[in-house]
Amino acid sequence: MKPTAPVVGVGGATTPPPMAMAMESSTTITDILKTPKFVKFTAIAILSFSLVFLVSHLSSSPFSSFSFNYSSLTPQTSPQLSPPPPPPPPLSPPPSPPPAVRRTGIIDETGAMSDEFFVGDSGFNSTSGVTEFGDEEEEKKDTSDGEARVKFEKFKVCEKGKVDYIPCLDNEEAIKLFNKSEKGEKYERHCPGKDKALDCVVPRPEGYQRPIPWPQSRDEVWFSNVPHTRLVEDKGGQNWISIKKDKFIFPGGGTQFIHGADQYLNQISQMVPEISFGHHIRVALDIGCGVASFGAFLLQRNVTTLSIAPKDVHENQIQFALERGVPAMVAVFATHRLLYPSQAFDLIHCSRCRINWTRDDGILLLEANRMLRAGGYFVWAAQPVYKHEEILQEQWKEMEDLTTRICWELVKKEGYIAIWRKPLNNSCYLYRDSEASPALCDPDDNTDNVWYVDLKACITQLPENGYGSNVSTWPARLHYPPYRLQSIEMDAQISRKEIFRAESKYWNEIIFSYIRAFRWKEMKLRNVMDMRAGLGGFAAALHDLHIDCWVMNVVPVSGFNTLPVIYDRGLIGVIHDWYKTI
C-alpha cells in the first residue's frame, strides 16, 4: 500500500494524515491516565462509591441496628422525601418507692433502746425531721437534674450560765421540793419533762483550751477549762488543789492524807498486805472523791477507781476529775440504789466522805455492802476512827456495832484508818439469830436491778455457787470468761463463752484497724465512753492494744444487764437509759 501523501492546506501548511492523528490522540489519553492527579481522583471516586454501597447494604440488612443517611452523597433524581419516623413510645412511669427498710439500734417512742425500727419517707421539702432550733443553714445536694438546696437548722448555743448544766441534776423545781429533806434527794436524778427538755447546746467555758494530755493532766489542768475557785478557797490548806498562773495544780493530797495519796496508799498496803493493788484489787470505788487524787494515784498501780461525788456546794468536783483524765461520775448515797451491780468493787474507800453510814438502820452501808465483792475491803478514814470526843466515839461504836451485825471483819484499825473485810459466803448470815437486824434480803430480790430502785435496809445474800467471789487476778481476769457470765440474762445458753471470746476477737480486729487507719495512738485519747458496751470487748481491746485511756461502759436499761460481767473482767461501767440525760 502506497503511503498517503501529506495534505497541503491553504497557505502552504501541511496537514498530517488521519492515522498519525489517531495515534497521537491515543498517546495523549494514555499520558493523562498516568498523571498523579488522575490516579488520586480515580481512587477517591472508587472509595466513595464503595462506601456508599457498603452503607446501603448495611442499612438494608435485617441485622443492622443503625441507619446512615447517605442521600447527600449521591445525585438527587427526585425531590421525593422519606416519610417521617414514627414518634417515640411514651416514657414508662417511674417505679414505685421501695418498701421501708428495717434497721437496728435506735431509741423507740418510750425512750428505751429498741432492736428494730422503720425508716420513713422523706423529701427535700419535708421539715418534720428537722430540729426547730437555731439559725438556718443551707446544704448543697447534687442531683441528676442539677444542684438542689436543702435547708436544715442547727441547735443554738445555750446561755453562758449553763456551762455546767446537767438537766436531771439541775432541775430547780425538783430541788425545791426536797430542799428540807436530810436524805439527800435533791442531789439525786430528777429529769425534766419533755416540754422542758433542753433545746440548746451546753456551751464550753469561755477561753476553753485543748486539755493537757495524760499523764501530765494528773498534776495540772487549764484554769479556763474548769473555772471554779470554791475548792481552792475551802480545801487549799489540805493540799487538794492550788492555782498557779493559768493552771490548777493538784499536789495529790486530801483531807485525811495531806501528805499525798502515794504515802496514804502505802500505809493501807502495809496495814493489810493482802490488799495487793493491781493484783487482787483491780476495781475500786472512791466515795466523796473531791478532786479524785485517790483514784488518780491508784491508776499507776493498775487499779481503776471510779470516783463519785454529788453535785453540791463545791461546784463541780467531778469536772475536775474528768479534766484530769480520772474515771469519775456524779452520784450520791441517798434514797435509790447506785447504778452499779452487786459485787462490783474489790475495794470501797471513804475518806471524810460526810456520809452517816448508820442512819436508818444502816441503809447506806448496806448499799455499800451490796456493791462490795465477797472478800472485798471497806476503807474508812474519818474522825470517829481516831478522835476521842464523846460524840465521835459514839459514832464509832455505832459503826462498829453495825459492821459486826452485817458480818464484816475489822481487819485493822491504825491511826485514822479502819479497814473491814466482807465475808466470802453466807455462813455468818445463816448462823445469826432469827430476829437479828438488819434482816436478810428476799432471795428473789434481783440485786443487780438498780434503775430507780429504792434502797433496802437488808443484807444482800451472796450466791451459793460462789459467783462474784471467784474472779481471777488481774490481768488474767480481763480475758477469762467469768462465772457470772452463766447467770446473767441472755438469749444464748450453751454458747456464752464462745460469744464472749468472739466479741473480744471482733473488737480487737476493729480497734487494730482504727489504730492503723486513723492513728488513734497519736490522738491521745483519755476519757472514752462505750454507749452500748455488751460484754466489754471494746474496752478490753483498747487495753490490749495499749491505748492509754479508760472506758465508761454503758449498758442500756432496755437490753441484757451485762454489767456484772464487765466488772468481773476488771472494767467499770454504769447502767443508763439513753432517753434520759446522763
Side-chain angles (χ1 to χ4, degrees):
M1 182 176 180
K2 295 182 180 180
T4 304
V7 180
V8 179
V10 180
T14 304
T15 303
M19 183 175 291
M21 292 178 65
M23 292 177 64
E24 183 178 354
S25 174
S26 175
T27 302
T28 303
I29 292 173
T30 302
D31 292 340
I32 291 173
L33 293 175
K34 291 181 179 180
T35 59
K37 290 184 178 180
F38 183 83
V39 172
K40 291 180 180 179
F41 176 82
T42 303
I44 292 172
I46 294 172
L47 180 63
S48 299
F49 281 108
S50 299
L51 181 62
V52 169
F53 175 80
L54 179 63
V55 172
S56 175
H57 175 72
L58 293 175
S59 301
S60 60
S61 171
F63 302 105
S64 175
S65 60
F66 63 94
S67 62
F68 183 77
N69 183 12
Y70 59 91
S71 59
S72 59
L73 302 178
T74 58
Q76 301 294 325
T77 59
S78 172
Q80 183 179 359
L81 300 176
S82 59
L91 296 176
S92 59
S96 58
V101 182
R102 297 176 74 88
R103 301 291 189 211
T104 60
I106 194 66
I107 297 175
D108 64 17
E109 64 275 4
T110 65
M113 291 294 291
S114 173
D115 291 334
E116 59 183 33
F117 68 96
F118 293 97
V119 178
D121 296 332
S122 63
F124 288 128
N125 297 325
S126 172
T127 58
S128 60
V130 181
T131 58
E132 301 176 354
F133 317 109
D135 301 327
E136 289 188 359
E137 295 287 342
E138 287 188 344
E139 180 181 308
K140 296 179 179 179
K141 298 282 187 181
D142 292 331
T143 64
S144 58
D145 299 328
E147 188 179 81
R149 292 184 179 272
V150 181
K151 287 188 177 182
F152 64 93
E153 301 185 18
K154 297 191 303 183
F155 280 97
K156 64 184 179 182
V157 179
C158 302
E159 58 190 23
K160 293 182 179 180
K162 290 191 178 296
V163 167
D164 294 318
Y165 180 75
I166 303 175
C168 292
L169 298 178
D170 292 320
N171 185 348
E172 294 182 0
E173 292 183 4
I175 291 174
K176 290 178 181 178
L177 293 176
F178 297 106
N179 251 340
K180 297 182 179 180
S181 174
E182 297 179 355
K183 295 184 178 181
E185 292 100 320
K186 67 179 180 181
Y187 299 122
E188 292 186 307
R189 296 167 50 85
H190 304 285
C191 299
K194 290 184 178 180
D195 57 328
K196 297 182 180 179
L198 194 65
D199 60 355
C200 56
V201 179
V202 174
R204 295 182 297 179
E206 188 173 351
Y208 184 87
Q209 304 180 60
R210 184 181 181 87
I212 296 173
W214 180 268
Q216 184 183 351
S217 62
R218 187 196 71 174
D219 302 323
E220 60 181 17
V221 301
W222 298 115
F223 175 86
S224 57
N225 289 10
V226 197
H228 301 300
T229 59
R230 176 69 181 267
L231 277 174
V232 177
E233 298 165 2
D234 292 352
K235 304 294 183 179
Q238 298 173 0
N239 216 19
W240 277 33
I241 184 174
S242 62
I243 299 177
K244 184 178 180 181
K245 296 182 179 179
D246 57 351
K247 295 177 181 177
F248 282 113
I249 306 299
F250 304 95
T255 303
Q256 290 294 148
F257 46 95
I258 60 174
H259 299 297
D262 253 342
Q263 180 179 329
Y264 180 66
L265 294 171
N266 289 336
Q267 183 179 352
I268 293 174
S269 297
Q270 291 167 6
M271 290 174 63
V272 183
E274 290 79 8
I275 297 179
S276 51
F277 291 120
H279 189 61
H280 289 99
I281 304 299
R282 165 60 187 173
V283 184
L285 178 69
D286 185 18
I287 303 168
C289 64
V291 294
S293 289
F294 179 81
F297 281 85
L298 269 176
L299 284 168
Q300 65 194 27
R301 302 184 185 221
N302 276 331
V303 177
T304 298
T305 304
L306 180 57
S307 302
I308 63 171
K311 190 177 182 185
D312 57 11
V313 294
H314 288 127
E315 295 163 328
N316 203 343
Q317 303 174 62
I318 296 303
Q319 195 63 42
F320 281 106
L322 294 173
E323 189 70 22
R324 295 178 74 181
V326 179
M329 181 177 174
V330 177
V332 61
F333 280 79
T335 64
H336 293 109
R337 284 178 172 175
L338 276 70
L339 304 179
Y340 319 114
S342 63
Q343 299 196 78
F345 302 101
D346 307 317
L347 181 143
I348 295 179
H349 173 254
C350 164
S351 174
R352 293 285 290 274
C353 56
R354 302 193 304 174
I355 293 178
N356 182 2
W357 293 113
T358 59
R359 77 160 173 87
D360 297 334
D361 298 323
I363 195 170
L364 301 182
L365 192 65
L366 290 166
E367 171 63 2
N369 178 71
R370 181 189 68 85
M371 297 185 295
L372 185 60
R373 192 177 299 280
Y377 295 91
F378 183 85
V379 180
W380 193 37
Q383 291 181 337
V385 176
Y386 66 96
K387 285 197 172 182
H388 299 288
E389 298 175 15
E390 184 176 351
I391 187 172
L392 295 175
Q393 282 300 297
E394 185 63 30
Q395 292 175 10
W396 167 254
K397 289 179 181 179
E398 290 176 358
M399 185 70 166
E400 195 173 25
D401 175 63
L402 176 61
T403 54
T404 300
R405 285 187 283 121
I406 65 174
C407 295
W408 284 9
E409 176 192 0
L410 180 59
V411 180
K412 191 80 171 183
K413 178 187 177 186
E414 181 178 290
Y416 53 86
I417 303 174
I419 302 176
W420 286 269
R421 190 182 188 212
K422 181 178 176 177
L424 285 165
N425 51 53
N426 293 322
S427 59
C428 175
Y429 305 144
L430 299 177
Y431 285 106
R432 299 188 316 154
D433 293 336
S434 58
E435 297 181 359
S437 176
L440 297 178
C441 294
D442 189 327
D444 295 330
D445 178 39
N446 183 356
T447 56
D448 297 324
N449 182 21
V450 297
W451 188 247
Y452 285 99
V453 175
D454 291 338
L455 294 179
K456 300 177 181 179
C458 58
I459 300 174
T460 302
Q461 298 187 59
L462 296 169
E464 293 295 338
N465 52 23
Y467 287 0
S469 63
N470 47 12
V471 295
S472 305
T473 55
W474 181 264
R477 64 192 279 186
L478 181 63
H479 296 294
Y480 186 83
Y483 291 101
R484 280 204 283 183
L485 179 63
Q486 305 302 323
S487 64
I488 63 174
E489 183 181 350
M490 285 181 65
D491 285 335
Q493 295 296 330
I494 301 175
S495 59
R496 295 185 178 208
K497 290 185 178 180
E498 288 74 13
I499 292 174
F500 178 92
R501 295 189 179 97
E503 187 196 74
S504 295
K505 181 180 179 182
Y506 169 80
W507 279 115
N508 265 278
E509 293 176 357
I510 292 294
I511 300 301
F512 181 72
S513 67
Y514 287 172
I515 291 173
R516 293 181 59 189
F518 304 123
R519 300 181 179 181
W520 270 20
K521 289 191 176 181
E522 299 177 14
M523 295 170 65
K524 298 181 179 179
L525 303 174
R526 184 58 192 167
N527 301 347
V528 179
M529 176 181 288
D530 186 356
M531 297 177 66
R532 196 169 189 175
L535 299 172
F538 175 79
L542 288 174
H543 175 273
D544 291 344
L545 296 170
H546 308 292
I547 302 296
D548 194 8
C549 66
W550 65 273
V551 180
M552 177 60 79
N553 294 282
V554 181
V555 174
V557 295
S558 59
F560 299 124
N561 186 359
T562 55
L563 273 181
V565 174
I566 289 172
Y567 275 91
D568 284 358
R569 298 185 72 174
L571 306 171
I572 61 172
V574 66
I575 200 162
H576 185 63
D577 183 350
W578 283 116
Y579 180 70
K580 307 286 186 181
T581 51
I582 199 164

